[in-house]
Amino acid sequence: MKQIKDKTKKKNIHLIANAHLDPVWLWRWQEGCSEALSTFRTATELAEEFEGFVFNHNESILYQWVKENDPRLYSVIQRQVKEGKWHIMGGWFLQPDCNMPSGESIIRNIQEGRRFFKKEFGVMPTTSINFDSFGHSRGLVQILKKTGYDSYIVCRPGAGWYDFKDQDFLWKGFADTSVIVHRSDENYNSVLGCAGEELDKFLEEKQEEDVTLFLWGVGDHGGGPSRKDLSDLKNRRERSEKYCILHSTPESYFEEFRNNTPKLQEVAKGLNPVAEGCYTSQIRVKQKHRLLENEYYTAEKMAVAAEVQFGRAYPRLAFEEARRALLFSEFHDALPGSGSVYVEEDTLRQLDFGLELISREKHYTALALASNEERVKEGSSTILIYNPHPYDVTGVVTCEVGLPKQNWTTGFMYPEVVFEGVSIPTQAEKEYSNFSLDWRKKVVMQATLKAFSMNRMDVYFKPIEKRPEFDEIVSKPYYIFDNGRMKVVINTATGLLEEYSVDGINHLTKGSFGLASFDDTNNPWGIRSKESSARRDFHLLTPHEGSEFCGLKSKVVPSVRIIEDGAVRTTIEVVVGMHNSKAFIRYQLPKAGTAFDVEVGTLFQEKEQYLKLMLAMPQKENEFSGQIMFAREELRQGVETVSQKWLMVRNKKNKSAVAVLNKGTHGASYSDGELGITLLRSAGYTASDFVMGKALQEEQWAPRMDQGERFYQFRIVAGEDKELEEHLDQMAQEYNEEPYCMAYCPPGYTQNAVEQNKGSFMTIDNPKVILSAMKKSEDKEGYIIRLYESTGADTEANLSVFNHLITKKVSLKSHEIKTYFLSVIEGYMEETSLIEME
């Protein structure tokens, strides 16, 4: 809707009437749905009643609720959009957290909204809005630009974060992209009946602006405009001699702003940190969200291969349902953990719904991909492992399988694995069940899995006298593990790591992997700094305490011990405690390679504290960086930061680096040679000291977040900095998007095999280029492939599809995202837009 500046040359004030409506926060989604109907109904009535009034609203999920539950109201909105009385604002599925979702998930959020609003209303907004999100990743800029947005409105971080007063600035992203950002200092809503007074005060503060935008309308729980507010604003419009007060839209504001403001302040970094506690609050939601992301995008890739190679129909409907569950969980009060205890429960249920759908389709897809495998060999069991990545994956792989015949003796059957005709390093570890019969086997292998292929492991078993037992290690002060390239030293008196070195260079030192608890705030948004908090370290439990914690009632064992050992890896378990809380730490040390895994399980029972896993560096002065959407960014030291799948600490002096890969932890801090990965916070649900005083003072029991058992996984990698940086995104991807393993007796349909099905479905020859997504096209007969450059340097790569049937050389700028359309039928691949529009 265009607005022409008043001929009297008054300053234009663009009133953006909206109703910020959280689908969930202090309430559950059912109430959010009901409130959307009420708010939208009132807005349509006021749009008819007040001439010139324009109502703005975003988020397609809310419109979908209206369409499904009140078709009459929905038709009124469609008419008012055509008449210019209602403006589709923003155009996303919902307003998500803008730091923790992957860049791929943000693209799907935008595509979901864009397609809906184009189909239902025929519109494509050019201003994106995320009023209430707790900070914004710099990786958003390129996504916004390439999905058709030239401007962005935010309210966080507030004015104090910036080193300039202007509300508008140029936000510079990666790959030569930028958007204009408006920071709304008045915030996104107004108090009922007070919009006029709030406007007066705001205009006094913004007199120097050539043109001004003012967000108003009751928000958070919806509400929007009221008759009193509209009447008050009408009076001000009619009597103002200084201002031309317009009912307007974000696009109209930015159109006038560009014509009046030739030079802008520039910001070339993420708009963070904001509400740092939200990087960790309700950690299970974050972990399960990451899991669904990993499973969803892996399943899509496998489903494409299965359709092209074996004719299994792409399960579009299941993906649509799972995708909406994923996107809804990313809402900015759900994923950040700032919702009520019921919102946490509902979000976990939503994520489980998505995971269940994907687990079915992923397995059915794997069965199709295995259809050409030979039948099981006599006297063996078969493990099939599908590598969903366009590169070979080398490392430790585990899978449970049953014996060909149950062993009803007291002996133990030990596995041996043959892969491509060669025996590979194999060991047995404790199976996941506790049924005291030698039947189920957790088989652990060291292997190189071929890119985008099914890898077959034939498992044979030999009898040994009993399940392996391992020598104690606490009689010596240190346990030293050395595989020729990697050395790990563990203090048996503390259970903590004393040294981690690769090729003779030390990367971690004394006290690493200690657990420390710090005093915290009572609310989910804030987090106290380490410097202002009392620190309480976990200490090694006595053998009696440790055995009791582990549930060993009839024996006492050391609290530092080897629990697994064999040809593939050694696992050391440590049990520690502090006050009412306990934990285990497992170091999984491979016999080959330079990386190792760490598992942590906590039984946390403290209140208003946060827990960190501490890693000590040999030197204090280092560079600190982390993964963000489709890119990486240097992180501030001495404060809580947010990142995605990895963190890296770089030693500038010897040009080495150590990185920590994770599976759903986002908050961390680094200062004075100590990296602290934040595991959990035990703040109150939606607690906030406000008008009525201090929260959580009622004389009754009140729940705190993340009490009880929580589990974490990390991979520690180190080496020469340039080499590590080149492979880091690839390593994080293969750690998160794991190869799919299954025990299966394949059908042996080898007579139907075709040559194209025998090789890798896809390969990419450059580790800097990451396959973000491969999926079926929404509208055309073909597939979508999305790539990005991960290291921050221009590069090229050769991409091969369907066993070299289709090849393409791609060029990408630093951190550039590119999307391609693949036609297998016509045998070509060409660049296309970032999102698919009908």
Side-chain angles (χ1 to χ4, degrees), residues 507-554:
H507 297 280
L508 295 176
T509 190
K510 183 178 180 180
S512 288
F513 299 101
L515 290 168
S517 183
F518 299 84
D519 290 336
D520 200 1
T521 65
N522 66 355
N523 72 74
W525 299 277
I527 189 169
R528 289 180 62 178
S529 67
K530 290 192 303 176
E531 291 71 24
S532 65
S533 303
R535 173 171 174 166
R536 303 170 182 85
D537 289 299
F538 282 58
H539 297 286
L540 193 69
L541 295 175
T542 67
H544 283 85
E545 292 171 333
S547 299
E548 182 182 12
F549 171 53
C550 294
L552 299 173
K553 295 184 178 181
S554 60

Side-chain angles (χ1 to χ4, degrees), residues 190-425:
S190 55
V191 176
L192 179 64
C194 298
E197 297 171 14
E198 292 179 21
L199 175 62
D200 293 342
K201 181 180 177 182
F202 184 71
L203 292 179
E204 284 297 313
E205 298 170 356
K206 304 298 178 183
Q207 293 187 53
E208 73 283 357
E209 293 181 343
D210 293 327
V211 57
T212 293
L213 179 151
F214 181 73
L215 297 175
W216 73 280
V218 177
D220 287 329
H221 194 264
S226 69
R227 285 179 175 80
K228 181 180 186 309
D229 285 320
L230 281 167
S231 296
D232 289 347
L233 292 171
K234 180 181 179 182
N235 291 335
R236 283 167 172 77
R237 291 178 67 194
E238 292 173 349
R239 71 170 187 258
S240 178
E241 298 179 356
K242 191 174 182 180
Y243 304 115
C244 179
I245 300 174
L246 308 167
H247 289 299
S248 189
T249 68
E251 283 78 2
S252 297
Y253 167 76
F254 281 107
E255 181 182 359
E256 181 177 355
F257 178 82
R258 289 188 191 91
N259 294 331
N260 285 276
T261 310
K263 182 67 176 174
L264 287 171
Q265 299 279 356
E266 294 183 357
V267 175
K269 59 182 178 180
L271 308 183
N272 290 306
V274 177
E276 296 93 323
C278 287
Y279 307 152
T280 302
S281 294
Q282 297 180 19
I283 192 64
R284 288 183 302 167
V285 170
K286 294 167 173 58
Q287 292 173 320
K288 194 156 283 189
H289 165 263
R290 174 74 65 79
L291 179 60
L292 181 51
E293 277 196 324
N294 295 336
E295 293 295 295
Y296 184 91
Y297 297 124
T298 303
E300 278 189 333
K301 296 168 190 174
M302 292 174 62
V304 169
E307 182 169 83
V308 173
Q309 292 181 295
F310 296 96
R312 182 179 187 270
Y314 189 86
R316 192 184 297 276
L317 181 60
F319 279 132
E320 286 176 359
E321 290 190 273
R323 182 176 65 246
R324 290 193 179 105
L326 173 66
L327 297 180
F328 197 90
S329 78
E330 293 172 350
F331 179 67
H332 64 257
D333 282 313
L335 182 56
S338 52
S340 73
V341 64
Y342 295 112
V343 171
E344 180 187 41
E345 291 176 5
D346 292 347
T347 305
L348 291 170
R349 186 170 65 227
Q350 184 98 248
L351 290 164
D352 282 331
F353 171 69
L355 285 166
E356 177 60 25
L357 290 172
I358 293 301
S359 71
R360 298 174 189 177
E361 297 303 333
K362 194 173 184 180
H363 187 67
Y364 302 156
T365 297
L367 294 176
L369 291 165
S371 58
N372 282 349
E373 292 293 327
E374 295 180 359
R375 301 288 292 269
V376 64
K377 296 177 180 178
E378 185 67 29
S380 74
S381 298
T382 304
I383 293 175
L384 298 174
I385 307 171
Y386 192 82
N387 174 9
H389 302 296
Y391 48 82
D392 292 351
V393 171
T394 298
V396 176
V397 187
T398 67
C399 185
E400 276 214 3
V401 67
L403 289 173
K405 180 182 178 180
Q406 292 175 346
N407 175 21
W408 286 74
T409 75
T410 57
F412 191 80
M413 302 298 288
Y414 204 85
E416 295 180 341
V417 172
V418 175
F419 177 37
E420 297 186 327
V422 178
S423 294
I424 61 173

Side-chain angles (χ1 to χ4, degrees), residues 52-77:
F53 171 61
V54 182
F55 182 67
N56 297 263
H57 215 284
N58 58 309
E59 296 181 307
S60 67
I61 179 63
L62 303 183
Y63 289 81
Q64 288 168 353
W65 283 342
V66 174
K67 181 180 180 181
E68 293 169 8
N69 295 287
D70 193 339
R72 184 184 305 177
L73 172 61
Y74 190 72
S75 65
V76 173
I77 296 171

Side-chain angles (χ1 to χ4, degrees), residues 107 784-787 817-821 830-836:
I107 291 173
I784 296 297
I785 294 172
R786 188 149 30 249
L787 310 173
I817 315 160
K818 281 190 176 182
T819 304
Y820 295 87
F821 173 75
E830 63 181 8
E831 190 173 354
T832 186
S833 57
L834 193 61
I835 59 173
E836 301 173 76

